Amino acid sequence: MKAIRVHTPGGVDALRYEEVPVPTPAAGEVLVRIQAIGVNYIDIYFRTGLYKAELPVTLGMEAAGVVESAGPGVTEFAPGDRVAYAMARGSYAEYQTVAASSVVRLPAAIDFRQAAAAMLQGMTAHYLTHSTFPVQPGHTCLVHAAAGGAGLLIVQMAKMRGARVIGTTSSEAKAALAREAGADEMILYTERDFEPEVKRLTGGQGVEVVYDSVGAATFEKSLDCLKPRGMMVTFGNASGAVPPVPPLVLTQKGSLFLTRPSLAAYCASRSELLWRANDVLEWVATGKLKLRIERTYKLAAAAQAHIDLESRKTSGKLLLEP
Ligand code: NDP
C-alpha cells in the first residue's frame, strides 16, 4: 500500500509517498481500509519535529473508512463496518491498524468525508467548550483563528451553548466565514491590536475564556483580554510554541487560570470518546453543526495540503483521499 512517511523531520520535502506493507491487526485492533483522511495542524508539528515520534513515522491522526479485518479479541467491530477515528497516528495511508477502543461506528447519514472532517477538530471543539471551560449563556469567549478548522467548530459550539463570541482572523474573507458560523464580532488581528478591541467590545470588562490555538504570537495579549479569574486555554502552536510562563504573571493579571489541554486527555475513556464523537456526528447529521470542507487532495499531494495550511490560505477542513 501507499503511505506518506517522514524519515527526517523538516519542510514539506520531508514527506515521502512510498510503498509499505499492509499492517496486520494485533489483539484488540482493527484494520481499516481508509476512504478519507483528515489533515490537521498537528501533522505539521510531527513533520517538522516540534512533536516527536519514532522515525520513520507515517503522518496523520484522523480518518474514516471500512473495517477490513479485526484482530483477536475484537467483538465490537466486524469487516464491512463503516468507522472513523482521531488521535491514532498513521492515517496518511491506504490502510491503518487502530485500537478498536479508539474507533467509532458511523451513523448511516454520515459519509466518509464528513466523518474525516468532523472527528478530530469536532471533538476538540466539544471538549474545549463543554469540559475545559464549560461555556454558559452570559459568557463571552475570545476564539483566535476563528475561521480555521478547529475555529469554525468552536465558534458554532460556543454559540450553541449561548455565549457571545468574539473571533480573530487574518482577512475579511475569513471573517465573513466565521460570522456565518455565528461569531458576533470579528477582529482582523493582522491589522489591529486585538487586545484594545476586545476591551472595547466588552466595555472594558474582558472575556471569561480565551481559546487560543495560535500560540506564541497571541498568548501574552490574550492574558490581558481576560476578566479576573478568567481562563486562558492555550491549545495550539500555529505561530510557534508558547515560552515558559512564571505563575506570578497569572496573579498579577487577575488570578487567572491557565491550561494547555490535549484531545487525548479529554477522550480518556471509551465512554468519554463516544459521548464526544456521537454528539459531533449527530449534530453534523442533523445540520446543527456545519462542516466546511475547503479542499480534498490526493494522498500523494499531501505536501500541497501542508503548504496551504501553513500559509494561512485555508478556512475549515482539508482532506486527503487515498
Ligand atoms: P487551522 O485551520 O486553524 O489553521 C491554522 C490557522 O492558524 C491559520 O489558518 C491561521 O488563521 C492561524 N495562524 C495564526 N498565525 C499563524 C502562523 N504564523 N502560521 C500559520 N497559521 C497561523 O488548523 P487546525 O484547525 O488544524 O488547528 C488549529 C490549531 O489547533 C493548531 O495549533 C492545532 O495544533 C491546534 N489543535 C489542538 C488540539 C488539542 O487538543 N490541543 C486539537 C486540534 C487542534 P488566520 O489566517 O485566521 O490567522
Side-chain angles (χ1 to χ4, degrees):
M1 68 165 191
K2 292 292 190 204
I4 296 275
R5 299 205 302 172
V6 168
H7 293 252
T8 311
V12 289
D13 294 346
L15 300 176
R16 290 213 213 145
Y17 182 63
E18 45 191 30
E19 190 65 32
V20 294
V22 175
T24 305
E29 289 184 340
V30 289
L31 175 68
V32 178
R33 180 160 36 87
I34 293 175
Q35 304 291 314
I37 302 157
V39 176
N40 292 284
Y41 223 93
I42 193 170
D43 306 339
I44 294 173
Y45 305 145
F46 278 109
R47 191 202 74 217
T48 59
L50 178 67
Y51 291 1
K52 308 287 174 220
E54 203 177 304
L55 300 169
V57 57
T58 302
L59 289 191
M61 305 295 279
E62 175 181 44
V66 179
V67 173
E68 182 83 1
S69 61
V74 175
T75 52
E76 210 181 326
F77 298 100
D81 286 347
R82 299 166 70 250
V83 296
Y85 47 89
M87 300 313 281
R89 200 164 60 237
S91 65
Y92 282 18
E94 290 179 285
Y95 293 86
Q96 182 181 4
T97 48
V98 189
S101 58
S102 302
V103 167
V104 302
R105 198 181 295 280
L106 295 184
I110 297 286
D111 65 31
F112 295 119
R113 296 175 75 248
Q114 288 173 308
M119 287 291 289
L120 196 149
Q121 292 163 345
M123 290 197 293
T124 298
H126 191 283
Y127 86 73
L128 292 173
T129 54
H130 291 64
S131 303
T132 306
F133 182 90
V135 175
Q136 304 289 338
H139 287 159
T140 303
C141 316
L142 175 61
V143 180
H144 287 306
L152 285 173
L153 301 176
I154 296 168
V155 169
Q156 291 180 70
M157 286 189 207
K159 290 307 296 179
M160 274 183 204
R161 292 179 65 91
R164 177 179 183 221
V165 174
I166 302 174
T168 61
T169 190
S170 62
S171 73
E172 265 308 338
K174 286 186 171 188
L177 292 170
R179 280 200 198 91
E180 228 173 82
D184 298 281
E185 309 283 351
M186 287 300 298
I187 303 168
L188 298 190
Y189 57 4
T190 39
E191 289 173 19
R192 309 181 84 134
D193 190 345
F194 68 83
E195 188 228 319
E197 283 297 296
V198 169
K199 288 281 168 59
R200 184 181 65 77
L201 290 166
T202 57
Q205 297 289 300
V207 300
E208 274 80 10
V209 58
V210 180
Y211 294 116
D212 186 351
S213 67
V214 173
T218 45
F219 180 80
E220 219 174 301
K221 283 199 171 161
S222 294
L223 294 180
D224 294 321
C225 293
L226 285 162
K227 278 186 174 169
R229 290 156 51 179
M231 186 179 284
M232 175 67 192
V233 184
T234 172
F235 71 101
N237 333 281
S239 67
V242 175
V245 187
L248 266 182
V249 167
L250 304 175
T251 321
Q252 289 153 2
K253 293 185 186 285
S255 298
L256 303 180
F257 293 86
L258 169 64
T259 185
R260 178 52 174 95
S262 73
L263 176 56
Y266 280 90
C267 288
S269 62
R270 179 80 181 144
S271 60
E272 191 173 32
L273 168 72
L274 290 177
W275 166 43
R276 300 195 197 286
N278 290 339
D279 271 3
V280 168
L281 294 173
E282 187 196 315
W283 294 338
V284 172
T286 56
K288 197 171 165 190
L289 186 69
K290 302 261 186 296
L291 300 172
R292 181 174 195 280
I293 299 175
E294 162 109 19
R295 196 170 153 192
T296 303
Y297 306 72
K298 289 280 175 207
L299 177 59
Q304 190 57 51
H306 279 210
I307 291 168
D308 293 347
L309 187 57
E310 274 180 297
S311 62
R312 304 172 76 162
K313 273 194 203 150
T314 63
S315 281
K317 191 70 182 179
L318 306 183
L319 297 176
L320 305 175
E321 59 185 17

